Amino acid sequence: MLKILCFILSFLLIFSMPVSAETEGEGKNDALSLSAASAVLIDAKSGKVLYEADADVKSPPASITKVMSLILIFEAIENGQFSFDTVLTCSETAAALGGSQIWLEPGETMSVHDLLKAVAVVSANDATVLLAEAVAGSEESFVALMNEKAKALGMNNTNFENSTGLDSENHYSSAYDVAVMSAELLKHKKITEYSTIWMDSLRNGESELVNTNRLVKFYEGCTGLKTGTTSKAGYCLSASAERDGLSLIAVVMSAPSSNDRFSSAQKLLNFGFANYKNIEIKPDQTEKMYTEVKKGTKKKVELEAVGNISALVKKSVKGEVEMQAVYPETLTAPLKKGSKVGEIVYTLNGEQLGTIPITLKEDISKLTVFSAFKGLLLSLFTL
């Protein structure tokens, strides 16, 4: 029966899936012909806005709210508050939630792992509140943490009144703020193990799960992330995808239909992948760097630049990446290995792409009478 249901659902979704590959235009609402009240496309790594349409307008976020809930849940797991294997017992409060749910009963037990599947795949409100209670003791206390986190992330057009996204008078966010918290959630690498599940089940196969985000199945490189729908919010979506090292987040708010939210998100992602790329930059380790040392046991010290940067550039931009090493001509001892003394600045056609720090490769002690005498003796014996 499960296989037959899965086949029917897949068949229906394939033939209802809108196809779009528009990649022209940037920065105007009609440039991509989006069917949504507001939208934004950002680079997940840098946070750079690649396309926006009324991205700061406040509107109900519906279940995209759960992106923030998931951030706090994953932080709690990583901080050791509980684990994926921890078994939680459903409260009366969590069981009483309406909207999307997995029909938890008061006193029913379920692992954090399975509850996360329920939240990420079918947007279960009861599972969300149960996890919120595990983090903060109550949903009210959890919502306070959500608003604190939103403020810390610079989400200036957001206020949460619940952990689920159910319509509430003073519960709102914006396309840009949703993109910001989506990028924060993606920093928790484990999330994509849940957000990319297409079909699964709970309760030993008794409860079937089909992802509410059909881009997971039908869009190349999709990594999630969260859908949202209420009568007040309309149809919302935060869609993330990665191709060739480029990670994008497209947010669509208040679309008039489910098809519109998916087609609009798809247009945004197509635009990003068609017009932008990530380039990896590493310092040239064959070029040695030195600077003079004053009052030290050595007259010069070797420097090093370790690390790399990932830079977002337009595919249409021509030119070579240029670098400039910036560090002082002289330093005064004592000097400590690993201390930052400068940076390598990388630019493309005059635009800065990023920097890599320049550090000391060794310790240099301060010159004293004793160390100077010791050095003199060593020089005499080596003559």
Side-chain angles (χ1 to χ4, degrees), residues 28-275:
K28 294 183 179 180
N29 193 25
D30 61 353
L32 295 182
S33 300
L34 303 178
S35 298
S38 59
V40 72
L41 175 71
I42 71 166
D43 171 44
K45 294 180 180 178
S46 67
K48 183 176 181 180
V49 175
L50 309 182
Y51 186 101
E52 62 179 306
D54 297 323
D56 291 324
V57 173
K58 298 175 182 177
S59 62
S63 282
I64 295 182
T65 297
K66 294 184 177 79
V67 169
M68 180 59 80
S69 297
L70 287 166
I71 290 171
L72 297 180
I73 293 163
F74 274 95
E75 286 182 349
I77 293 171
E78 291 163 9
N79 291 336
Q81 192 170 339
F82 48 81
S83 73
F84 293 100
D85 296 326
T86 300
V87 175
L88 302 179
T89 302
C90 185
S91 66
E92 294 280 353
T93 302
L97 265 290
S100 301
Q101 55 187 302
I102 54 170
W103 308 104
L104 287 169
E105 295 287 343
E108 182 179 358
T109 58
M110 189 169 288
S111 70
V112 169
H113 169 69
D114 282 350
L115 290 167
L116 283 170
K117 283 198 295 185
V119 175
V121 179
V122 296
S123 197
N125 293 331
D126 45 4
T128 303
V129 171
L130 179 52
L131 287 164
E133 291 171 341
V135 172
S138 68
E139 187 184 17
E140 291 76 15
S141 297
F142 186 80
V143 171
L145 295 178
M146 292 171 68
N147 285 313
E148 286 179 17
K149 188 68 174 182
K151 185 177 181 180
L153 292 174
M155 296 167 58
N156 299 320
N157 294 302
T158 295
N159 184 70
F160 298 115
E161 289 195 331
N162 58 64
S163 63
T164 60
L166 290 172
D167 286 337
S168 183
E169 184 177 354
N170 204 35
H171 188 93
Y172 57 82
S173 191
S174 68
Y176 177 73
D177 283 2
V178 169
V180 168
M181 68 177 180
S182 297
E184 181 70 15
L185 178 57
L186 287 171
K187 292 178 182 178
H188 302 275
K189 302 302 182 183
K190 194 82 173 175
I191 181 57
T192 57
E193 293 183 20
Y194 295 94
S195 60
T196 56
I197 294 171
W198 173 236
M199 290 182 176
D200 208 323
S201 63
L202 300 172
R203 302 181 176 106
N204 296 317
E206 294 180 9
S207 301
E208 298 163 2
L209 305 177
V210 180
N211 205 315
T212 56
N213 179 9
R214 66 193 191 200
L215 295 185
V216 168
K217 177 71 172 179
F218 300 106
Y219 192 82
E220 179 189 352
C222 184
T223 56
L225 195 57
K226 193 71 199 71
T227 59
T229 308
T230 66
S231 58
K232 188 177 179 180
Y235 294 85
C236 307
L237 175 65
S238 176
S240 58
E242 184 170 354
R243 295 179 188 173
D244 300 321
L246 178 60
S247 182
L248 300 177
I249 297 170
V251 177
V252 175
M253 304 290 281
S254 299
S257 72
S258 184
N259 276 359
D260 286 324
R261 69 175 166 187
F262 290 120
S263 64
S264 293
Q266 193 172 346
K267 288 177 182 180
L268 287 165
L269 293 171
N270 285 345
F271 170 80
F273 288 125
N275 290 282

Side-chain angles (χ1 to χ4, degrees), residues 46 48 279 281 309-314 317 320-322 344-356:
S46 67
K48 183 176 181 180
I279 56 174
I281 302 173
I309 57 174
S310 178
L312 179 76
V313 298
K314 283 188 174 182
V317 172
E320 296 292 328
V321 175
E322 298 180 349
I344 298 179
V345 181
Y346 294 92
T347 59
L348 177 61
N349 297 334
E351 181 179 350
Q352 183 171 311
L353 299 178
T355 62
I356 293 177

